[in-house]
Amino acid sequence: MNDWPDRRTGDRSERYGRGSAGPQPEGARAMPHVQRRPSSPQRPQVPPRRPQVPPQSQGYDDRYQDGGYGNAPEPGYDSGYNTGQVYGSGSGGGGGGRRGGGDGGYVGRPAPDWRRRIKLGALTLVVALLVVSVSTYFWADSKLKREVDLSKVIERPESGDGTNYLIVGSDSREGMSAEEKKRLRTGSAEGKRTDSMMILHDGSNGPTLISLPRDSNVEIPSFVGSESGKKFQGTGRQVKLNAAYAEDGPELLVRTVEFNTGLHIDHYVEIGFGGFAKIVDAIGGVELDIPKAFKDKKSGADFKAGKQTLNGEQSLAFVRTRYALPGSDLDRTKNQQKFLAALASQTATPSTIINPFKLYPTMGAGLDTLIVDKDMSLWSLGSMFFAMKGVTGGDGTSMNMPISGSVNGNLVWDKAKVKQLVQQLNNDEKVTVKGD
């Protein structure tokens, strides 16, 4: 049907869209009024038929026979669907599985299996912790300096029950800068000497920590040189205990302690000034209750009475001070025991162990300067650390080696009490011997 006026065709290009041939734009044109002819009557409109889509897997049923409008399909009408599979699935699971069953009902996603998810999450966490733990173990093990060979120690006493550690604090300045030496007041002496010595016994009756004053009067026995391998016969020479370390190092010190006590030393652990201060700073300081104020120019100590948190520099001054104390070296060993127990107690806490930002710096600071024997494992080192913590836990005992007097300014051990003490340690009994 052509709705255009007479003499006009559907080709509107005759009058429109040709542009202007002149240089100026063509002006607006008035459109003529056109009278439309009456259109021919139209057939009644019939609503469009919807495709008769059968439920998947069951073909047509009565609900779809009239197209949804009550009108039956005309004969020969092809809906485009067959009575078989619609999307290639005869199970009703086609189209993403949103419809299923013969009634065309909606099927939602299956409920999540939380039990399975929790198991997978727990397994993932366990694997991650295992990987981190193994990696940390090998990292820490690689940093241990196993430099002391206890196989060079001769004529050793028999081992008893429990484990005995000889813990030595040396005045080694290794790795310290000139500025650190000045700040920590360590001086610049060459070599290294023992500044503190302790025996830690870890047994079934609780740990026992025994300080060995460095001015203790001891006999240097026969020994094999750690470097030369040459045997030196004992002459009964009496010296201060720290002289044994200065003469031939850790091996002779272990030999001298075993000879004068009769106690077998299982492991040796040594830490220098620098490492000691770094450990304290890595954990953020150590809280200590100082009963009486004291000041010492040589160590740099200047403490008031009461509870306070000591940093690395202050901690080193605290454990080194002896001239400002009434009991001199004996009082110093008591301060050393008190401080080391507090350090272990405040380090072995969940806030340190589960916090990698504290754990790794603390371990790194300690392991970098620790010197141990060749048979020391990380497990043994950890056992020693927790035994040290147990000294202040109520089950432990701390004491000085029993003293009977002095000779030439050296402290003489009480032989009878020392013998009883060693017997109790070897038998892993509760220690009843008292020291000064």
Side-chain angles (χ1 to χ4, degrees), residues 87-351:
Y87 297 103
S89 171
S91 61
R98 306 301 290 178
R99 287 184 178 274
D103 59 356
Y106 182 84
V107 179
R109 294 182 178 178
D113 188 347
W114 290 108
R115 181 178 298 178
R116 182 172 179 270
R117 292 187 179 185
I118 292 174
K119 287 182 179 179
L120 288 176
L123 179 61
T124 302
L125 179 61
V126 169
V127 171
L129 290 175
L130 182 61
V131 171
V132 171
S133 300
V134 171
S135 300
T136 300
Y137 178 89
F138 284 105
W139 168 77
D141 188 73
S142 67
K143 295 179 76 67
L144 272 180
K145 299 179 180 178
R146 297 182 174 93
E147 299 177 0
V148 180
D149 189 357
L150 295 183
S151 66
K152 295 180 180 179
V153 181
I154 63 173
E155 302 174 13
R156 309 191 67 185
E158 294 183 2
S159 298
D161 295 332
T163 304
N164 299 316
Y165 302 86
L166 180 59
I167 304 172
V168 175
S170 76
D171 63 358
S172 172
R173 284 88 172 165
E174 182 179 355
M176 296 175 63
S177 65
E179 182 181 349
E180 289 175 326
K181 293 177 183 178
K182 182 179 180 181
R183 179 172 57 87
L184 298 177
R185 296 174 181 260
T186 63
S188 300
E190 296 296 329
K192 56 182 181 179
R193 286 153 294 277
T194 55
D195 204 64
S196 62
M197 291 162 284
M198 302 178 187
I199 294 174
L200 175 64
H201 174 82
D202 186 18
S204 58
N205 278 292
T208 302
L209 185 62
I210 308 161
S211 286
L212 309 175
R214 69 176 191 174
D215 293 339
S216 298
N217 192 76
V218 295
E219 178 183 341
I220 297 293
S222 57
F223 68 95
V224 173
S226 58
E227 297 294 336
S228 65
K230 179 181 177 181
K231 184 172 182 179
F232 297 88
Q233 292 295 334
T235 60
R237 180 164 49 105
Q238 304 286 314
V239 298
K240 292 181 179 181
L241 181 58
N242 64 343
Y245 182 94
E247 187 172 331
D248 198 49
E251 288 85 359
L252 180 55
L253 178 61
V254 171
R255 168 68 174 138
T256 303
V257 169
E258 289 187 343
F259 177 82
N260 286 269
T261 62
L263 186 69
H264 182 90
I265 300 298
D266 298 292
H267 292 294
Y268 177 91
V269 180
E270 177 186 327
I271 188 169
F273 282 161
F276 181 83
K278 288 178 181 177
I279 292 175
V280 175
D281 287 334
I283 66 170
V286 174
E287 186 180 62
L288 208 62
D289 188 2
I290 300 177
K292 187 177 180 180
F294 65 90
K295 188 174 183 179
D296 182 28
K297 291 183 178 180
K298 290 190 175 182
S299 66
D302 187 4
F303 299 106
K304 298 179 180 180
K307 284 188 177 181
Q308 49 205 288
T309 300
L310 279 59
N311 61 24
E313 179 182 350
Q314 294 169 324
S315 300
L316 190 57
F318 180 81
V319 299
R320 294 183 63 208
T321 297
R322 65 169 177 165
Y323 294 107
L325 304 176
S328 188
D329 201 36
L330 290 177
D331 283 349
R332 179 171 72 162
T333 57
K334 293 176 182 179
N335 280 347
Q336 291 171 348
Q337 290 177 347
K338 180 178 182 179
F339 183 86
L340 289 178
L343 174 63
S345 179
Q346 294 174 40
T347 302
T349 60
S351 63

Side-chain angles (χ1 to χ4, degrees), residues 56-59 81-92:
Q56 300 174 16
S57 79
Q58 288 196 6
Y81 294 88
N82 59 28
T83 59
Q85 298 179 351
V86 178
Y87 297 103
S89 171
S91 61

